[in-house]
Amino acid sequence: MGEPAGIGAEISAKAWHRLRESGPSFFFIGDPRSLRDAPVVVIESPEQAAEAFQAGLPVLPLPLPAAPQPGRPDPANAGAVIAAIETAVRLCLEGRAAGVVTNPIQKSVLTSAGFRHPGHTEFLGELAGRGVPPVMLLACPGLRVVPVTVHAALAEAIRSLTTELIIEHGRIVAEALRQDFGIARPRIVVAGLNPHAGEAGTMGREDIEIVAPAIAALRQAGIEARGPLPADTLFTPRARASYDCALCMYHDQALIPVKTLDMDGGVNVTLGLRIVRTSPDHGTALDIAGSGQADPGSLIAALHLAADIALSRSRNVRP
């Protein structure tokens, strides 16, 4: 359900209206009372969801302690938000659901209630990790990007960037492109950290000393990787046609091109988990919650991509 005071319930209802005939079918984990824009079918187990889907939005009930007020998060509901995530992960680990699609959470509210993770990704890594760090991939039609450093100040991101970290992300991305996206020979490009990828060391030596050795190691491991390439030309239409995923050095280097290309259709995917997890690539939108203005496009894209990844995984045996 995500943050109950945000747009999660609204876009879930709108997504059901758009997908009720075509699918993929899904069910909502949360308080049925929060869904005012779609008929609701309360279910007792995930196994009932597919049959109920055309009649109404299936809801696995998880009551909220406090009635949600649009735009006004209540810390009293933080425990239920966390429980919804835990329930979804457990159902996937048990094989009773194909994937988790998370509506946006309000991290500040959860933190005030004792939530100790920077966000969904890190929490999901603890619940369903497979011994590697969870990796955030952002996707929209025509582009996939992965930030090597994520939720950190830019100065801290640069300090924390290492050759080993880039290699680790490159390996996880290459495996996911094969297993989850069905790409037999993934092509990965690596963005330079500095302007012009350092311009042979005249604008910083990080690309020579940190980034280039990681690319060499990935190539030695049989992964088609090239770079470091200047980020200012990496996302043109011609450039995007030459690779399957761009490995970026920090948060905004990756997210700005995705959100510029398709703000309403971008999807957040967590790699390195035992389960499938996607999410809309936007926040809780507290400023428009309850107004009926929320666009469900990114959630719908996330539902479709989760279904596609689940199907791809079912066709592959993970090493």
Side-chain angles (χ1 to χ4, degrees):
M1 62 177 165
E3 168 53 53
I7 60 171
E10 179 185 336
I11 59 176
S12 297
K14 289 179 175 177
W16 174 81
H17 280 288
R18 298 244 194 118
L19 298 175
R20 61 176 300 191
E21 299 294 337
S22 62
S25 61
F26 63 95
F27 61 95
F28 183 86
I29 300 176
D31 196 322
R33 298 171 299 175
S34 65
L35 293 156
R36 301 182 179 89
D37 301 316
V40 167
V41 179
V42 175
I43 58 175
E44 296 180 356
S45 70
E47 289 77 12
Q48 299 172 332
E51 185 177 352
F53 191 69
Q54 284 196 343
L57 174 52
V59 177
L60 194 65
L62 200 164
L64 293 168
Q69 300 295 321
R72 299 174 61 185
D74 190 333
N77 289 328
V81 173
I82 295 168
I85 300 168
E86 293 172 333
T87 299
V89 170
R90 175 177 55 80
L91 292 173
C92 287
L93 290 173
E94 292 172 354
R96 302 175 68 193
V100 176
V101 181
T102 55
N103 273 311
I105 56 175
Q106 193 70 17
K107 290 186 279 289
S108 58
V109 177
L110 299 189
T111 300
S112 68
F115 188 69
R116 57 184 176 81
H117 303 277
H120 263 129
T121 300
E122 295 81 3
F123 186 37
L124 290 164
E126 180 179 289
L127 295 175
R130 18 179 219 97
V132 297
V135 168
M136 177 193 296
L137 179 146
L138 289 304
C140 70
L143 180 63
R144 300 182 192 92
V145 296
V146 167
V148 173
T149 62
V150 189
H151 297 122
L154 186 54
E156 175 57 32
I158 294 170
R159 283 194 297 269
S160 66
L161 187 67
T162 64
T163 298
E164 292 73 24
L165 189 64
I166 298 169
I167 294 170
E168 186 173 54
H169 278 66
R171 289 178 179 274
I172 293 170
V173 168
E175 180 188 2
L177 290 173
R178 288 189 293 266
Q179 296 289 329
D180 295 347
F181 293 88
I183 300 171
R185 294 180 59 84
R187 302 166 300 166
I188 297 173
V189 295
V190 182
L193 172 67
N194 295 300
H196 301 182
E199 202 162 292
T202 61
M203 296 190 200
R205 296 194 56 81
E206 292 90 349
D207 292 294
I208 294 173
E209 297 173 357
I210 297 174
V211 183
I215 297 168
L218 290 170
R219 292 176 65 85
Q220 189 172 6
I223 295 170
E224 185 176 331
R226 56 189 175 92
L229 299 174
D232 60 355
T233 56
L234 195 55
F235 304 107
T236 64
R238 180 178 295 180
R240 296 198 310 270
S242 71
Y243 59 83
D244 300 303
C245 185
L247 209 58
C248 300
M249 298 301 99
Y250 54 91
H251 182 277
D252 284 8
Q253 192 181 59
L255 272 70
I256 286 173
V258 168
K259 293 189 175 183
T260 300
L261 285 170
D262 195 349
M263 180 65 187
D264 295 328
V267 179
N268 183 335
V269 185
T270 304
L271 311 180
L273 300 178
R274 289 180 285 157
I275 63 169
V276 175
R277 182 267 175 150
T278 67
S279 176
D281 187 23
H282 58 68
T284 55
L286 296 176
D287 56 325
I288 62 169
S291 69
Q293 301 176 53
D295 187 334
S298 186
L299 176 60
I300 291 170
L303 287 159
H304 276 295
L305 186 54
D308 290 345
I309 292 173
L311 181 61
S312 181
R313 285 194 183 187
S314 73
R315 292 170 174 166
N316 293 284
V317 177
R318 186 174 297 279

